[in-house]
Amino acid sequence: MLTSRKVQISASVLRADLTKVDKAVRICEDSGVDYIHIDVMDGHFVPQLTFGNKFAADLRKITKLPIDVHLMVNNPAIFIDDYLKAGADAISFHLEADIHVNRTLNVIKAGGARAGISIVPSTPVAALSEIIDIVDFVQIMTVNPGFSGQKIIHSSIRKIKELDVIRKSQNLSFEIFVDGGVSSKTSGELINFGADVLVTASAFFDADDPKKEAMLIRAGGSGL
């Protein structure tokens, strides 16, 4: 049975038609999504090259929706200040890509944004033990990062439940973001396991009716 708590949606503009980015933003706003998600890729941590901080700053000028920046880059600490200045409301980076994770999280917080940590499917929840009490959110990658439109790696879903158990047992308040393969067909299980924010890309922007897809994702869709 689905939870009664409010589930939020972050729409990744990676899948949008970027020749009409203003239209993509209007679709997000009209569909009632909660965040605009920017996937920043450096061509090293992941194979693709995508957006820079100017793109985030330009989006900030045309929407009041919170901007959620996901740094899929090596040495993410050197980019934090740029995205804070660009107006990011939430910034996540990869545990696997940073040495001084505690410091980087605190820099994000000091800059006034919500601080998140992301982990790829091969990284266990146990690796978060030393910083779990200071994060605002944990982003579980349910696909290998770098490409939109992938199918969920189902073995990674159990991490959502593991994190939910940890926050309840330790009386913590971090949110659980899930990124990868999110659609109205998969959201039900993710929500039931404890997800709070669902990051969607192709399922949303490729839908005939993005507003309806967002509604179904939030409601748990049709299940797996």
Side-chain angles (χ1 to χ4, degrees):
M1 183 176 294
L2 289 175
T3 178
S4 59
R5 62 192 162 79
K6 177 175 170 56
V7 175
Q8 296 185 307
I9 296 174
S10 189
S12 172
V13 291
L14 179 64
R15 192 66 176 193
D17 181 351
L18 296 178
T19 66
K20 302 173 182 176
V21 69
D22 54 338
K23 180 180 178 181
V25 168
R26 299 289 88 78
I27 289 171
C28 291
E29 293 174 338
D30 293 344
S31 299
V33 304
D34 303 280
Y35 294 90
I36 292 180
H37 186 87
I38 301 178
D39 287 303
V40 178
M41 307 181 191
D42 64 356
H44 299 283
F45 183 74
V46 293
Q48 297 279 70
L49 277 169
T50 57
F51 313 111
N53 56 298
K54 184 180 183 300
F55 180 72
D58 288 345
L59 278 186
R60 179 74 290 156
K61 295 174 186 176
I62 62 172
T63 185
K64 293 183 179 180
L65 281 176
I67 293 176
D68 159 30
V69 173
H70 177 196
L71 296 176
M72 288 177 270
V73 301
N74 286 332
N75 197 11
I78 66 174
F79 300 103
I80 300 302
D81 191 52
D82 289 335
Y83 285 94
L84 288 170
K85 289 178 179 176
D89 299 281
I91 301 175
S92 63
F93 62 95
H94 275 267
L95 181 75
E96 304 87 0
D98 194 52
I99 297 173
H100 303 292
V101 175
N102 185 294
R103 180 198 301 167
T104 305
L105 289 167
N106 283 314
V107 169
I108 295 170
K109 286 172 170 281
R114 300 183 70 223
I117 196 74
S118 298
I119 56 173
V120 301
S122 59
T123 298
V125 166
L128 300 170
S129 62
E130 298 303 314
I131 48 90
I132 197 67
D133 60 335
I134 64 170
V135 295
D136 293 310
F137 62 99
V138 176
Q139 184 162 268
I140 299 294
M141 296 299 299
T142 46
V143 300
N144 288 305
F147 297 94
S148 180
Q150 298 181 69
K151 291 183 178 180
I152 283 180
I153 298 173
H154 284 273
S155 60
S156 63
I157 295 177
R158 61 176 172 74
K159 296 180 191 177
I160 304 168
K161 194 172 188 70
E162 285 183 58
L163 280 169
D164 192 39
V165 169
I166 288 170
R167 69 178 169 183
K168 288 175 179 175
S169 65
Q170 298 185 27
N171 196 28
L172 299 173
S173 60
F174 64 84
E175 289 184 317
I176 301 171
F177 283 47
V178 179
D179 185 355
V182 172
S183 71
S184 57
K185 294 180 180 179
T186 63
S187 63
E189 186 172 16
L190 306 177
I191 294 168
N192 279 333
F193 273 37
D196 302 292
V197 181
L198 300 177
V199 181
T200 183
S202 56
F204 176 72
F205 280 108
D206 292 354
D208 293 332
D209 186 343
K211 185 174 183 178
K212 181 178 179 181
E213 177 66 10
M215 179 188 69
L216 288 172
I217 290 172
R218 199 189 303 276
S222 56
L224 289 173

